[in-house]
Amino acid sequence: MSESGRAASRTAVLVCQGRAAADGRAAARRFADPVAVRLLRPEERTVVEQVRAGTPPEGLRARTGYESVRACAEIAVPRTVAIDEALGARPNGQLVVLGAGLDTRAWRLAELAETDVWEVDHPASQQDKRARLAAADVRPAARAVRFTPVDFAVDDLATALDAAGHDPAAPTTWLWEGVVPYLTRDQVRTTLAALAARTAPGSSLVLNYQSPSAKASAGRLLTRLLGNSVTAGEPWRSLWTPERMAALLAEHGLHVTSDHDLLTLARALDTTARSRSSLRTGRVAVAEHR
Ligand SMILES: C[S@@+](CC[C@H](N)C(=O)[O-])C[C@H]1O[C@@H](n2cnc3c(N)ncnc32)[C@H](O)[C@@H]1O
């Protein structure tokens, strides 16, 4: 538990486990995340090994944990490949990762060699990540990594980025992956307004969000009822249709140039998908500031 009274994000660990489980095995080798497993603690690696081996454990609770990591691996592949490609196509000197969790890009993407990366996250999650990085002893691939603790519910993003040396007058690529569902609509609006105010021409936002679906929400509720305490502690707070998200971004001068659901992206990668409803509702959009 951090000084702010909140524990480090457990969904961030789950996503990292998903990437570790899929590393080098999926998407005709277009997906690889060898850093993910290094950020996991030994007890968090067991289920990753079970998923990689395809050997589910006995017992309802362990089996639920296994299915969560297996499903997360399926989601992580198209999401990561689409985002990595979007970032590679927009080489800016500044990349701000909002709600970074255990994101590994600053430690694995050679394309970031000329880029400064700001890792913005809730202080509790960031403290946990820094401890994991120190234990893993991995070197950044990015030119620099600047840790910027921010609670989107209470802190001012602009003040934090100013203090961390982000230049609002230079183009920035913003990445906001796997965070929007955990924020209220107001917190999403406030964060977007803050980033838009520091978005120079030539900047882009790469955004992953969740669109509404009764089936996906019911599936998430069922996992919680079956005892998955990971999702229980971090409920979804806002889901957006592509139309509403595009309208909100346009209010802030960000124009959507692509927006695809993960199932479409997974099919384009020829990956097999069992968790179709989760893939159908997860989306990756790119918006540009011209
Ligand atoms: C599911 S994880 C996603 C992490 C990472 N972006 C990824 O896709 O692997 C959700 C992240 O949102 C962050 N988050 C949730 N609510 C937040 C808040 N109020 N302020 C800052 N970060 C928050 C958590 O700390 C966590 O790192």
Side-chain angles (χ1 to χ4, degrees):
M1 196 74 78
S2 78
E3 283 167 16
S4 68
R6 173 172 158 163
S9 168
R10 294 183 62 193
T11 58
V13 176
L14 178 60
V15 182
C16 189
Q17 287 174 312
R19 291 195 312 267
D23 176 40
R25 319 198 102 203
R29 308 221 166 258
R30 275 168 79 188
F31 173 88
D33 188 347
V35 181
V37 72
R38 299 182 61 186
L39 297 188
L40 296 174
R41 304 210 161 97
E43 67 276 16
E44 295 162 348
R45 291 181 191 176
T46 307
V47 64
V48 169
E49 283 152 18
Q50 289 165 343
V51 171
R52 288 177 74 83
T55 51
E58 299 285 330
L60 185 58
R61 187 171 278 262
R63 181 67 195 243
T64 308
Y66 172 94
E67 289 302 334
S68 296
V69 172
R70 189 198 57 69
C72 214
E74 277 190 9
I75 292 166
V77 171
R79 186 166 120 177
T80 307
V81 171
I83 291 174
D84 286 358
E85 290 182 357
L87 297 181
R90 288 162 186 79
N92 273 324
Q94 303 190 114
L95 169 66
V96 179
V97 185
L98 299 163
L102 299 181
D103 188 293
T104 55
R105 292 184 175 89
W107 291 268
R108 75 176 166 80
L109 289 184
E111 299 93 305
L112 298 179
E114 302 299 321
T115 300
D116 292 345
V117 178
W118 282 261
E119 286 241 328
V120 175
D121 206 353
H122 190 280
S125 303
Q126 191 156 90
Q127 198 177 309
D128 176 59
K129 181 176 195 173
R130 296 186 78 166
R132 289 169 186 268
L133 283 165
D137 194 23
V138 280
R139 284 170 156 265
R143 183 168 56 197
V145 182
R146 305 197 181 158
F147 292 101
T148 314
V150 173
D151 181 345
F152 297 126
V154 293
D155 297 326
D156 182 41
L157 178 63
T159 308
L161 284 172
D162 275 336
H166 173 256
D167 179 1
T172 299
T173 302
W174 302 89
L175 170 59
W176 209 3
E177 179 190 18
V179 188
V180 166
Y182 301 103
L183 304 179
T184 64
R185 284 187 180 273
D186 277 351
Q187 288 163 4
V188 172
R189 287 197 182 93
T190 306
T191 307
L192 259 181
L195 80 82
R198 327 180 50 92
T199 293
S203 299
S204 316
L205 168 65
V206 181
L207 171 71
N208 161 239
Y209 67 100
Q210 203 69 25
S211 63
S213 141
K215 201 170 167 195
S217 297
R220 207 172 152 86
L221 181 64
L222 181 66
T223 329
R224 279 166 65 181
L225 293 175
L226 287 174
N228 189 332
S229 53
V230 172
T231 48
E234 294 171 59
W236 279 352
R237 296 193 164 94
S238 74
L239 307 173
W240 300 77
T241 63
E243 295 74 23
R244 282 192 82 171
M245 183 52 82
L248 176 65
L249 295 173
E251 277 173 36
H252 295 287
L254 288 158
H255 301 283
V256 173
T257 51
S258 69
D259 186 348
H260 299 291
D261 67 76
L262 298 181
L263 187 58
T264 304
L265 294 170
R267 285 188 172 140
L269 290 170
D270 262 344
T271 57
T272 50
R274 274 162 62 191
S275 318
R276 291 221 176 85
S277 54
S278 310
L279 285 162
R280 207 170 268 128
T281 53
R283 305 190 69 86
V284 174
V286 178
E288 315 273 0
H289 179 84
R290 297 184 198 109

